[in-house]
Structure formats: C-alpha cells, structure tokens
C-alpha cells in the first residue's frame, strides 16, 4: 500500500512539474525589437529600444544594466551574413542574453561599405569593402582603345597601352609579331625556313637576355 501511495505522489509531482518547466523555459522572450535594424559592417549593434520579458516582467534595455549581453558583443563590428557557399545573405542575427539566460535573436540587415573602383591587376579591377576588407564586384577592365608605344626592338615586341574607363588604371601589353627580327624575315618562307629562323630567333633572344643579366 505504501508503495502505491509513493508512486501516486511521484506521478503527481511529475505532472505538476511539467507545466512549470514549460512556463520556466518560456519565461524569457523578446517583446520589442531595437529601433535600429539596418546596419553596415562598419557599425556596432545598437540595442536601444529592445524590450525583453524575464520571469514574467518586461525589462527595457539600458546601457547601465549589466545583465544584458549580446553576441556579437556591442564592441564588435557587425558582419554580413553568408550561406554555406559563401554568398552574402540579406539578413543576419544578434543573440540576446539576460542574466546569462538566452532570450532570443534579433534579425538585422547588414550591408557592405564599398570604396571606389580600384585597379587590382592587369586583368581587372574591383571594390574593397571598408568593413571586411574583401574585394567585391571584380570585373575585367573596360578599355576601348590601345595606343602603340613605339618601343619595339630587334628582339622586343612593341607594346601598347590602354586606360580603363572604370578605374582609370593603365594596362600595357605586347603586340604580337612586331619584333624587328620578325619583320625582317617575315616574308614568305617554307616550313623548314620558318623552323630554322625560329631556332635562330630563340638563340639570339637567349643570348641577349644572358648578356643583360651579366650587367
């Protein structure tokens, strides 16, 4: 009989504890989101206007209340959210804690702050983010015209230079077949003659480069 009574008491305690546990787990929640929800990755999270519910009472954020905590912290720059492929997402989240208890998340929008279009290499240009420092919007140069530099030689091809209309960078490239040696022997030749001339040209270029390295 005593065993049955003990089991009945235990069941009663469990039944009463279940709703209490549900209430306790739901005792913390975000009532009102902060006023500011749009940011750049050069800014910190501002929780002004945030209201949370803790143990049945509403608590408004105050900068002098030490019980509030956030992830990322208020002294950490916000970052643009990314998916598993590394692509930017339109929203990110900030975790909110009160008295070391997780309260919930605040959804915010974080965008990059892009600088001017900058020359990156002979191949293209892009924009550095002033926040994360990464390159965005990389693309090839927009060069409508190249101007010859008249700097060719017997064994050196003439070069030409163009200016990118987007970044203002200058790109210089060789003009194939403009070496003086090629123009001298560039008439109609048999395959054998072309091969021999090619060998001679390669040897002469190697000699010139070797002599230049001795200086």
């Amino acid at each position: 009989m005593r065993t049955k009574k003990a089991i009945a008491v235990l069941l009663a305690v469990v039944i009463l504890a279940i709703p209490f546990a549900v209430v306790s787990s739901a005792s913390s929640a975000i009532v009102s989101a902060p006023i500011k929800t749009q940011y750049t990755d050069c800014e910190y999270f501002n929780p002004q206007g945030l209201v949370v519910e803790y143990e049945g009472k509403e608590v408004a954020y105050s900068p002098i209340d030490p019980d509030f905590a956030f992830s990322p912290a208020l002294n950490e720059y916000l970052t643009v959210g990314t998916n598993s492929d590394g692509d930017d997402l339109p929203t990110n989240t900030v975790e909110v804690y009160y008295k070391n208890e997780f309260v919930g998340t605040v959804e915010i929008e974080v965008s990059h702050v892009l600088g001017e279009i900058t020359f990156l290499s002979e191949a293209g240009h892009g924009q550095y983010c002033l926040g994360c420092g990464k390159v965005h919007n990389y693309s090839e140069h927009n060069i409508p015209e190249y101007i010859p530099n008249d700097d060719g030689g017997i064994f050196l091809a003439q070069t030409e230079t163009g200016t990118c209309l987007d970044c203002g960078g200058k790109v210089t490239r060789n003009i194939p077949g403009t070496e003086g040696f090629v123009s001298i022997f560039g008439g109609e030749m048999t395959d054998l003659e072309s091969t021999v001339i090619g060998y001679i040209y390669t040897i002469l270029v190697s000699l010139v480069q070797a002599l230049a390295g001795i200086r």
Side-chain angles (χ1 to χ4, degrees), residues 36 38-45 76-79 110 113:
K36 182 176 174 64
Q38 294 185 333
Y39 296 88
T40 68
D41 56 0
C42 290
E43 294 182 291
Y44 304 115
F45 178 64
E76 295 181 39
Y77 285 119
L78 296 171
T79 58
V110 186
V113 181

Side-chain angles (χ1 to χ4, degrees), residues 153-157 179-181 200-201 204-205 208:
I154 295 296
F155 304 109
L156 295 176
E179 300 88 342
F181 184 90
I200 295 174
Y201 175 73
L204 291 175
V205 170
V208 171

Side-chain angles (χ1 to χ4, degrees), residues 195-213:
T195 302
V196 173
I197 293 299
Y199 282 135
I200 295 174
Y201 175 73
T202 301
I203 293 171
L204 291 175
V205 170
S206 299
L207 289 174
V208 171
Q209 291 176 343
L211 291 174

